[in-house]
């Protein structure tokens, strides 16, 4: 019975629409369809269609694997896996929608973070590949501030070590060297050079001629100049190359 009523209503709606088109051609206007006819037309269209909505008619949900961040007005996009690499970090709690973390979003759905985007780049890259890579115009202290804010403990330790190494390198000043001059015969030369240790390295070899005859052959003698870095400037002891070593080097360069 209900289906019969629906069909009758649909036929009535078709008749009214046809009359409406005929009269419109004559520049006349008809009143709008009644509620029953309008409902019938909608039901028939829905039953006959069954087609998916056209593309662009509905907004799709964003991919949950990716997170969009608005750091000081600059947008960053990264995966949840990257941001959750440090379980105790601010970014980990952000991705978990932690109830104790009050985080706002902008009109695009990006998390709003009021920090310097310039120094956030090295922090994000560290989470991606585990290495601290910085531009030359960035200061380690700036990266340290961001690492402490985001509570990334491993990065905090790494930046502090780099800062400490830079301070030690600056306090030591220019590298100093200590020199030694060793006299040896030709047959001893190879063994002496191969057994050098404790940071000593070969600098120069100076021939000083023959000292004596052994059988029918002259035995040549040499002066071997070696050096190593002197790393005790902190104790106030600075050893310069001896005057004898300088003279021998100059003599050797002229030979």
């Amino acid at each position: 019975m209900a289906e019969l009523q629906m069909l009758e209503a649909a036929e009535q709606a078709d008749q009214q629409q046809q009359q409406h088109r005929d009269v419109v051609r004559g520049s006349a206007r008809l009143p709008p369809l009644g509620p029953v006819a309008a409902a019938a037309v909608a039901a028939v269209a829905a039953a006959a269609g069954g087609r998916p909505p056209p593309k662009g008619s509905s907004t799709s949900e964003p991919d949950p694997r990716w997170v969009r961040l608005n750091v000081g007005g600059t947008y960053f996009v990264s995966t949840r896996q990257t941001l959750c690499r440090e379980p105790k970090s601010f970014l980990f709690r952000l991705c978990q929608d932690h109830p104790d973390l009050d985080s706002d979003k902008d009109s695009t759905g990006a998390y709003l973070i009021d920090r310097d985007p310039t120094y956030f780049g090295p922090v994000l890259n560290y989470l991606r590949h585990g290495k601290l890579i910085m531009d030359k115009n960035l200061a380690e202290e700036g990266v340290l501030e961001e690492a402490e804010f985001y509570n990334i403990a491993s990065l905090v330790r790494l930046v502090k070590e780099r800062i400490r190494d830079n301070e030690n390198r600056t306090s030591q000043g220019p590298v100093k060297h200590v020199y030694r001059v060793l006299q040896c015969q030709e047959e001893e030369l190879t063994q002496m050079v191969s057994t050098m240790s404790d940071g000593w390295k070969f600098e120069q070899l100076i021939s000083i001629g023959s000292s004596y005859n052994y059988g029918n052959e002259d035995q040549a003698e040499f002066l071997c100049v070696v050096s190593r870095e002197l790393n005790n400037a902190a104790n106030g002891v600075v050893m310069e190359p001896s005057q004898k070593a300088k003279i021998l080097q100059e003599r050797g360069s002229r030979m």
Side-chain angles (χ1 to χ4, degrees), residues 55-66:
K55 294 183 179 180
S57 60
S58 62
T59 57
S60 59
E61 292 294 330
D63 192 338
R65 295 174 300 176
W66 292 88

Side-chain angles (χ1 to χ4, degrees), residues 9-122:
E11 291 177 358
Q12 182 182 359
D14 291 339
Q15 292 176 1
Q16 290 185 5
Q17 285 183 344
Q18 184 62 37
Q19 293 174 1
H20 181 75
R21 287 193 291 268
D22 294 340
V23 176
V24 167
R25 294 191 186 98
S27 300
R29 299 181 63 184
L30 288 177
L33 297 175
V36 178
V41 171
V44 171
R51 304 183 185 90
K55 294 183 179 180
S57 60
S58 62
T59 57
S60 59
E61 292 294 330
D63 192 338
R65 295 174 300 176
W66 292 88
V67 179
R68 185 176 174 89
L69 305 174
N70 182 346
V71 183
T74 301
Y75 287 95
F76 295 85
V77 179
S78 183
T79 62
R80 289 183 181 272
Q81 181 181 2
T82 296
L83 298 179
C84 294
R85 190 147 293 169
E86 290 281 340
K88 297 183 179 180
S89 69
F90 169 92
L91 297 172
F92 178 88
R93 292 188 296 158
L94 188 72
C95 293
Q96 305 300 320
D97 292 327
H98 200 283
D100 296 335
L101 190 63
D102 186 15
S103 300
D104 296 328
K105 294 183 179 181
D106 63 10
S107 58
T108 67
Y111 288 101
L112 286 167
I113 303 177
D114 187 19
R115 301 297 294 183
D116 188 349
T118 304
Y119 287 97
F120 180 72

Side-chain angles (χ1 to χ4, degrees), residues 181-193 202 205-209 211-212 219-225:
V181 180
L182 307 175
Q183 184 173 354
C184 61
Q185 299 176 2
E186 183 177 2
E187 60 184 11
E188 302 170 339
L189 185 60
T190 302
Q191 180 181 2
M192 184 194 66
V193 173
F202 174 79
L205 183 66
I206 303 170
S207 175
I208 57 176
S211 59
Y212 61 92
Q219 295 296 317
E221 288 197 352
F222 297 89
L223 295 178
C224 183
V225 182

Side-chain angles (χ1 to χ4, degrees), residues 177-182 201-208 223-228 240-255:
H177 292 83
V178 59
Y179 293 82
R180 283 184 178 178
V181 180
L182 307 175
K201 64 179 182 179
F202 174 79
E203 291 287 346
Q204 196 170 5
L205 183 66
I206 303 170
S207 175
I208 57 176
L223 295 178
C224 183
V225 182
V226 296
S227 71
R228 72 174 178 180
E240 297 287 349
S242 65
Q243 188 65 25
K244 180 179 179 181
K246 292 180 179 180
I247 294 174
L248 289 172
Q249 280 187 297
E250 294 176 356
R251 176 183 173 186
S253 62
R254 293 195 298 266
M255 295 180 65

Side-chain angles (χ1 to χ4, degrees), residues 120-178:
F120 180 72
V123 174
L124 182 58
N125 286 331
Y126 172 79
L127 293 176
R128 286 168 173 159
H129 47 60
K131 297 179 181 179
L132 177 58
I133 301 176
M134 298 171 47
D135 293 336
K136 293 186 293 184
N137 58 340
L138 295 182
E140 284 87 355
E141 290 77 7
V143 179
L144 178 60
E145 287 291 332
E146 299 307 301
E148 291 177 343
F149 172 80
Y150 295 107
N151 196 29
I152 304 176
S154 58
L155 180 57
V156 170
R157 290 192 298 269
L158 181 60
V159 178
K160 285 184 176 180
E161 290 177 1
R162 179 173 294 191
I163 292 175
R164 185 164 53 251
D165 292 342
N166 291 339
E167 290 176 349
N168 292 337
R169 192 178 301 112
T170 303
S171 63
Q172 289 176 1
V175 178
K176 303 290 184 178
H177 292 83
V178 59

